[in-house]
Amino acid sequence: MRNMTGFKLLALASLLAILVSTMLFLRISGEPQEQTPIRGKSTVSVNAKGIAVRKTDGEREKRELGLSLALKLGERRENFIPVEAVEGSVVIGGTTYDVAEARGVVLYKRSTIILRLRCNDGSSMVLHIRYFWMGGGLYALRGLGASGVENGRTIILFRGTARVS
């Protein structure tokens, strides 16, 4: 009996040591990293894929969407950061629309980017983008918008990533 009590104490102490070391490891590795915020005077590279839906003759036409934009941000203000310039293109169903001019704002307290793009062919797009920090300078994003390309209005839905540099 005496040996059995010693064995139980040794097993309990070993189990407790393993549990404490595991919890300590999880505590250390689970600490959040320093977030790289979207800040003024930086560049945000956006890459996303999605769909563009247009209603024609009572039917819905779905096409693939590709979004590749580089946003140049201005000086940070109290509640927002203005978007000074946008370069890049939007591909809808194989047709490429290059950005000619853009206006926009980053509402950093709401993790939202709002853009109004005017393309080379005269069409326009309005995009509402929500972003979520993933670590370092990488953000996940999802968005929606409307486009006045071709004949009629097209609804845009997309997901992708944004990298801050």
Side-chain angles (χ1 to χ4, degrees):
M1 282 286 181
R2 195 173 173 124
N3 284 340
M4 199 58 144
T5 305
F7 177 74
K8 287 181 181 178
L9 283 175
L10 181 62
L12 184 60
S14 298
L15 186 61
L16 187 59
I18 290 170
L19 184 62
V20 167
S21 64
T22 304
M23 293 301 288
L24 182 61
F25 174 74
L26 290 175
R27 171 80 176 154
I28 291 170
S29 67
E31 302 244 344
Q33 300 172 343
E34 184 67 26
Q35 180 175 352
T36 304
I38 291 182
R39 59 198 181 282
K41 291 296 183 184
S42 62
T43 301
V44 179
S45 301
V46 174
N47 290 306
K49 292 188 179 199
I51 60 169
V53 180
R54 186 169 62 127
K55 199 172 191 179
T56 57
D57 298 328
E59 295 183 19
R60 291 185 185 173
E61 178 185 347
K62 290 184 184 180
R63 296 181 289 174
E64 289 187 19
L65 171 87
L67 192 69
S68 180
L69 301 173
L71 313 175
K72 302 218 185 313
L73 305 180
E75 285 290 328
R76 182 176 179 159
R77 301 199 182 141
E78 187 176 331
N79 295 318
F80 66 94
I81 302 169
V83 176
E84 290 184 343
V86 177
E87 296 175 352
S89 62
V90 178
V91 179
I92 299 176
T95 306
T96 302
Y97 301 93
D98 293 321
V99 176
E101 71 177 87
R103 294 180 60 188
V105 65
V106 177
L107 304 171
Y108 56 86
K109 290 182 179 178
R110 294 184 178 209
S111 301
T112 302
I113 302 171
I114 299 172
L115 292 174
R116 180 176 182 93
L117 309 175
R118 195 159 306 277
C119 300
N120 285 338
D121 65 349
S123 61
S124 64
M125 297 178 197
V126 177
L127 304 175
H128 182 271
I129 304 168
R130 296 274 302 165
Y131 59 88
F132 311 90
W133 182 64
M134 292 185 65
L138 183 65
Y139 290 81
L141 58 89
R142 67 176 178 224
L144 57 97
S147 171
V149 299
E150 298 173 6
N151 307 352
R153 185 173 166 171
T154 302
I155 303 299
I156 299 171
L157 303 168
F158 57 91
R159 291 180 183 222
T161 60
R163 187 166 297 279
V164 178
S165 58

